[in-house]
Amino acid sequence: MERASQIGKFSDRDKIWDMVVVGGGATGLGVAVDAATRGLSVACLEKSDFAKCTSSRSTKLVHGGVRYLQKGDVLLVLEALRERGRMKANAPHLVKDQAFVISNYSHWDNVLYFCGLAFYDLLSFGFGYGRSKFISAKKVRKYLPTSVEKGLKGGVVYHDGQFDDSRMAINLAQTCFENGGTVVNEATVTGILHNEAGKVAGVKFVDNTTGEEYTVKARSVVNAAGCFVDDIMHMDSPEHRKMVTPSQGVHIVLDMKFLQSDYAIMVPKTSDGRVLFAVPWHDKVVVGTTDIVRPTPEEEPRPLKEEIDFILSTAGLYMTPAPTYRDILSVFAGQRPLAAPKKEGKSTKELSRSHKVIVSDNGLVTITGGKWTSYRLMAEDTVDRAIAEAGLPRRKCVTRKLRIHGYRPDPDLSNHLYVYGSDEERIRALIASDPALGERLSPKFGYTLAEVVWAVREEMALTVEDVLARRVRLLFVDAREAMAAAPKVAETMARELGRDQAWIDAQVESFTKMAKNYIFEEN
């Protein structure tokens, strides 16, 4: 998947594409895969890097949504549970079973949560990961050695999925490419084209790497820009009124000593009425999340101290010893695109999390809302609507049983290279041909220079951030180690890309400045 060949496909200015997708996150890439596998000519344009914003900053869960079940939204849960099963079946190298423990400190909670999760299992019939069960307080302490023992009355074990979000995005881009689609990062859409009748007829975009502007004609344009969908809708219609509210979610990453288990913690009700997870991920623990309305969407949102305080204080009720600021290895903030309020009020609990497909008077198709677990279904709904609106050839969706690039059943989870699936042997071959590429990026982690080379050659990585944040996940598991590795990564990339020392210095400086957002120290 070489970027130069992909961008070269736009040199034919007279070509009329069936579909252009704006946005290269979970939803946009899902739409592009769906369209490509239906035989449509499709181009997906991402203004930064694939999964740069929301789609690389999730809780790393593939889930039906236990919290939505609490609210009685059974249909939404049923839909997500089915998609959860399909996601694991289609990408078993990235999606795996994750057992959770709910520790209960009252007998009533034991009954309440066991009954609720038994219903959750029933809804997932045919798409399940494992059955829920009640466990004694002794078993809770066995499964979660760091549990707070005082007052513990027992617990409930249930199952959902866990995955690597940005790796999934990269594999979706590769899947689109392999099915004849075109995907390009660092391509900023600057305008929407309209025909004489005022209908959407394509886009203009700028190649951020060269500054060259392209005009792309298309029968359909899909706006999948996440938190930034309003910007694209405004390009289509200057009178467009703001539709999406960004909600910020923050996660902290801790050493595994705070969990000491393959089981995850699920706190079903926190002090503000939401839920909290502590999930094992790449030999660390991801703890989150928060849910705070923000005034405007940001590419690099900063965590607020109140969010970190909330996560630490809540985690401290269930972990011993309680984590502190000194224990945080990395902290990342993402913003979810929440659809318009159902009623007046600023609480994000009053905003819709289900996805919506909206068509403007000019024919721009916008998809918003939803979550990673439902990305495939969101894409199917969007492409169906786009086909109907633009009069494109009607072909059946085939993604329910489509194997994602890298597909490999029963991966060996003992080696971090499992996330590459069927590409793992090719990365090992790089090291075999040049043993110097076996050098580690950090003495604390297994990531190697071979993965940097692979990211540049096969995964369209253009910057140090692309590599350390989204191809390998070092920034997310240990921000300080990522900063220390930046010079080595920049030098390796420079050799691959034909860059000079000035580029290396600029990349290290840029990455270091950005990575400081992932380190949060108490003032």
Side-chain angles (χ1 to χ4, degrees), residues 28-96:
L29 290 168
V31 169
V33 168
D34 188 297
T37 52
R38 295 197 206 198
L40 300 177
S41 58
V42 59
C44 179
L45 305 173
E46 163 56 42
K47 70 175 180 177
S48 298
D49 182 37
F50 306 119
K52 156 73 176 175
C53 297
T54 310
S55 297
S56 62
R57 305 167 193 233
S58 72
T59 315
K60 320 307 178 193
L61 298 181
V62 179
H63 63 113
V66 173
R67 55 182 166 169
Y68 307 136
L69 194 60
Q70 289 178 323
K71 299 172 185 176
D73 204 337
V74 175
L75 290 178
L76 181 63
V77 174
L78 182 62
E79 175 185 280
L81 284 170
R82 288 180 176 173
E83 290 304 310
R84 181 190 72 168
R86 290 173 180 139
M87 201 165 164
K88 183 182 180 185
N90 294 338
H93 61 299
L94 289 176
V95 182
K96 69 181 187 71

Side-chain angles (χ1 to χ4, degrees), residues 30 103-104 116 129 166 182 201 209 277 304 308 310 349 393 474 517:
S103 301
N104 295 320
Y129 280 43
S166 71
T182 300
T209 68
F277 294 98
L304 305 178
I308 307 297
F310 166 76
K349 287 183 283 187
L474 187 53
N517 290 337

Side-chain angles (χ1 to χ4, degrees), residues 24 31 50 63 93 106 134 181 187 268 342 407 470 479-480 492 519:
V31 169
F50 306 119
H63 63 113
H93 61 299
S106 79
F134 167 76
K342 296 177 181 177
Y407 176 94
R470 291 172 292 278
R480 292 174 181 84
T492 303
I519 297 172

